[in-house]
Amino acid sequence: MDKFVRAIFPGSFDPITNGHLDVVKRGIQLFDELIIAVGRSPIKNQLFTPEQRVEMIEELIGEMPGVFVESFEGLTVEYASQKKADVILRGLRSLTDVQYEFQLAMTNRAVAGIETVFIMTSEQYGFTSSTLIREVASLGGDLSNLIPASVHKRLEQRFSRLGSRNA
Ligand code: ADP
């Protein structure tokens, strides 16, 4: 099989965690090109702007050939077709993820005929979610094993700014 395979890895990445990075590192071994696609969702309550999230990811993938990052708006399947992506990549942590991801993958295949490939995270990141990271960071907890140092720094800056604004 000589076909060039391009995958997109869509998500909120608010912020990116070691769990996401684990999926990226495993993913690029399966595909020729992997685009981390940061969704600009108007509905979700976001801590970092899409630009900040992209910037944080750019710093982390600098040394990873074939891995790119950009933000996108609207339907994931439309973005996938615009990028001529063959595959959507998603990460799985637990059986709870499977239920939701299964529905999403089936819907995307039904509406756009695109396949989703799942990668299971390393056990040590099985409980890591951006939501919990935001909560723990807001309370000043130690997250050094779960997120890259550069992301930790951004979170500290973000929360110290929020703190001074609320004071
Ligand atoms: P979304 O809001 O679309 O779920 P996320 O940024 O939370 O976006 O997640 C993007 C993808 O990464 C999803 O497939 C999610 O299941 C996966 N993911 C999130 N955290 C982890 C983790 N710790 N390990 C593996 N995959 C993860």
Side-chain angles (χ1 to χ4, degrees):
M1 257 206 346
D2 279 342
K3 188 184 180 306
F4 183 96
V5 182
R6 177 179 293 127
I8 60 162
F9 180 28
S12 314
F13 305 102
D14 188 30
I16 189 159
T17 68
N18 286 347
H20 291 131
L21 280 173
D22 188 50
V23 171
V24 169
K25 285 177 193 154
R26 290 168 196 280
I28 195 56
Q29 292 175 40
L30 301 177
F31 310 116
D32 299 293
E33 192 177 299
L34 178 59
I35 307 172
I36 305 173
V38 175
R40 298 173 161 269
S41 164
I43 311 160
K44 287 200 176 171
N45 209 351
Q46 282 152 359
L47 181 65
F48 292 104
T49 64
E51 290 72 24
Q52 290 170 323
R53 283 179 268 149
V54 166
E55 219 175 271
M56 279 187 263
I57 296 170
E58 265 167 359
E59 284 172 20
L60 294 163
I61 60 170
E63 304 289 298
M64 293 185 209
V67 181
F68 304 90
V69 60
E70 55 184 47
S71 67
F72 75 102
E73 221 160 346
L75 277 181
T76 303
V77 291
E78 267 168 28
Y79 174 75
S81 117
Q82 188 193 318
K83 301 310 285 186
K84 300 197 173 14
D86 307 282
V87 164
I88 294 176
L89 173 67
R90 296 281 285 178
L92 288 180
R93 285 162 292 192
S94 61
L95 279 179
T96 328
D97 274 352
V98 173
Q99 182 127 10
Y100 170 70
E101 294 290 341
F102 188 83
Q103 278 189 335
L104 197 63
M106 294 292 255
T107 307
N108 287 339
R109 198 170 60 190
V111 301
I114 189 161
E115 296 291 350
T116 302
V117 169
F118 296 102
I119 289 187
M120 277 177 280
T121 187
S122 301
E123 302 79 49
Q124 75 255 44
Y125 305 128
F127 57 91
T128 307
S129 76
S130 300
T131 310
L132 276 179
I133 295 288
R134 292 195 298 272
E135 272 170 30
V136 176
S138 74
L139 301 169
D142 181 11
L143 291 163
S144 42
N145 291 332
L146 305 178
I147 49 173
S150 55
V151 173
H152 199 219
K153 212 159 131 197
R154 294 275 193 136
L155 277 164
E156 277 176 349
Q157 288 167 351
R158 185 76 178 81
F159 283 111
S160 71
R161 205 165 303 144
L162 281 179
S164 58
R165 196 184 301 152
N166 293 340

